[in-house]
Amino acid sequence: NADSALHKAKDSGRETFAFYTAEMTEQANQRIRVASELRRALENEELDVHYQSVYELSGQKLVGCEALVRWNHPTQGPIAPNEFIPIAEESGLISALDAWVLNKACKQMQQWLAMEYDLKFVAVNLSSRSLSEEGLAEKVEATLKRNQLDARFLELEVTESTVMESPEGADAALCGLREIGIRLAIDDFGTGHSSLGRLKSLPVHKLKIDRSFITNLPSDNEDVAIVQAILALGASMGLDVQVEGIEQEEQVQFLQQCQCTLGQGYLLGRPVPADEFTALLAKTCKDK
Ligand code: C2E
Ligand code: MG
Ligand code: MG
Ligand code: MG
């Protein structure tokens, strides 16, 4: 009867409610667990940095690399940055993580240069939290000094959304970084909301076109138009343009035709541990 139907609905309503709260609590607990394990991992040097090569597309010459953090969890195995970086950001661990990666990458780059490998830059990612940190430029400068690395060999990548979302803060931080002589790149370009006026005033050297515009090259006409437009923009503003996510030979050919100078992607090289990257350098990049 109607009465018992009502009862059922109420019951199941309560169950649904209870179910959702339990799930949400579980998710929140999970994030807290991951954050505390990440803190431990950072202290115990359970994290590692892999390096992905960046090529000059014309002669396919290796010119630089991007440092990418890796977490090999003792019981769960490798955890992807897209899973733990957001947790590091919300738990406030990200600045320590970025600083750790930066130090590691600078030390490694200095060693490669000392071995006379002809690399032009190592690129390190900075989260928006790190960019808005007090005294960032001084900390970066101290890291360079500690590792005896000349500032011109370091490139810092900040995403387009980071730069565009906090105009005042980001501008001051970027200017401070530029003053110490490092290079700046806007990562994932094309996915944020750039104002061209702002772009003009930013002290950056490079635009990195987001992988999502590269995946369907050269068959997708809209992606072709977007990539060509960004290349033209970069050329006329005197900025380097680099693409990420090259996986196919046809993409390389298309990008070469478009005069795109720099690229990275699984086709050219996957991110690899430092010793593997050193072996790659020994094969392809001896200066003398
Ligand atoms: P990102 O900075 O845009 O880095 C490029 C990502 O694309 C890397 O993923 C790289 O492994 C991947 N990738 C490179 N070539 C290809 C390709 O041809 N195909 C495909 N499908 N993927 C490719 P990864 O290492 O998983 O990092 C993901 C994101 O996590 C990075 O995106 C960056 O935003 C963030 N991240 C990584 N390391 C750090 C770090 O040390 N600090 C901060 N703040 N963020 C980091
Ligand atoms: Mg990057
Ligand atoms: Mg990127
Ligand atoms: Mg990306």
Side-chain angles (χ1 to χ4, degrees), residues 3-282:
D3 202 36
S4 76
L6 185 67
H7 248 104
K8 257 194 193 151
K10 262 189 179 163
D11 279 356
S12 81
R14 192 156 48 225
E15 268 165 37
T16 310
F17 177 72
F19 171 74
Y20 277 126
T21 0
E23 188 171 278
M24 277 152 58
T25 310
E26 175 48 30
Q27 268 176 18
N29 285 340
Q30 164 76 5
R31 295 176 88 82
I32 293 166
R33 253 197 318 275
V34 173
S36 87
E37 289 184 18
L38 188 57
R39 183 170 290 118
R40 188 212 58 213
L42 200 55
E43 282 161 7
N44 301 348
E45 305 255 322
E46 250 170 53
L47 301 179
D48 196 11
V49 179
H50 284 197
Y51 298 87
Q52 184 178 32
S53 38
V54 176
Y55 283 85
E56 227 160 54
L57 293 175
S58 54
Q60 301 223 14
K61 182 185 186 310
L62 206 177
V63 289
C65 59
E66 178 174 3
L68 295 157
V69 70
R70 293 292 178 262
W71 183 10
N72 200 358
H73 190 280
T75 57
Q76 284 166 254
I79 303 178
N82 287 335
E83 279 178 50
F84 68 85
I85 294 283
I87 295 177
E89 273 166 355
E90 66 184 32
S91 64
L93 275 175
I94 192 69
S95 299
L97 187 150
D98 281 349
W100 184 84
V101 172
L102 177 70
N103 186 60
K104 195 102 173 157
C106 287
K107 182 180 290 172
Q108 184 59 69
M109 183 65 175
Q110 196 280 331
Q111 286 173 9
W112 284 327
L113 292 172
M115 293 159 96
E116 301 193 334
Y117 293 126
D118 182 21
L119 278 179
K120 295 195 170 68
F121 65 88
V122 61
V124 176
N125 293 282
L126 268 195
S127 82
S128 60
R129 218 69 183 231
S130 301
L131 190 71
S132 60
E133 214 191 358
E134 194 78 27
L136 174 66
E138 288 78 5
K139 283 180 194 162
V140 172
E141 202 169 23
T143 305
L144 287 166
K145 210 166 168 197
R146 186 181 326 122
N147 293 291
Q148 296 166 299
L149 181 68
D150 193 296
R152 70 176 193 276
F153 293 111
L154 176 64
E155 184 166 290
L156 289 178
E157 300 187 1
V158 285
T159 66
E160 185 184 28
S161 40
T162 293
V163 172
M164 297 299 161
E165 274 159 24
S166 80
E168 315 79 36
D171 283 20
L174 293 175
C175 288
L177 289 171
R178 176 154 190 159
E179 269 166 30
I180 62 177
I182 64 165
R183 298 168 48 82
L184 295 167
I186 301 189
D187 205 355
D188 303 346
F189 190 77
T191 57
H193 306 275
S194 265
S195 122
L196 297 178
R198 283 257 302 128
L199 189 60
K200 192 176 96 176
S201 67
L202 284 175
V204 300
H205 301 82
K206 182 186 276 184
L207 305 177
K208 289 187 73 178
I209 306 181
D210 191 68
R211 172 157 56 90
S212 58
F213 302 110
I214 307 307
T215 308
N216 299 314
L217 288 182
S219 61
D220 186 306
N221 291 334
E222 280 156 5
D223 288 339
V224 165
I226 290 168
V227 168
Q228 286 176 336
I230 298 175
L231 285 166
L233 182 71
S236 62
M237 294 178 90
L239 302 174
D240 286 345
V241 178
Q242 181 176 318
V243 303
E244 56 179 17
I246 297 176
E247 294 184 358
Q248 289 157 22
E249 195 53 55
E250 306 86 79
Q251 294 165 342
V252 176
Q253 281 162 18
F254 170 80
L255 291 161
Q256 282 171 337
Q257 281 162 21
C258 296
Q259 320 293 329
C260 175
T261 46
L262 298 166
Q264 67 188 115
Y266 290 170
L267 177 75
L268 307 170
R270 286 182 178 260
V272 293
D275 55 348
E276 263 182 65
F277 198 81
T278 307
L280 177 72
L281 288 170

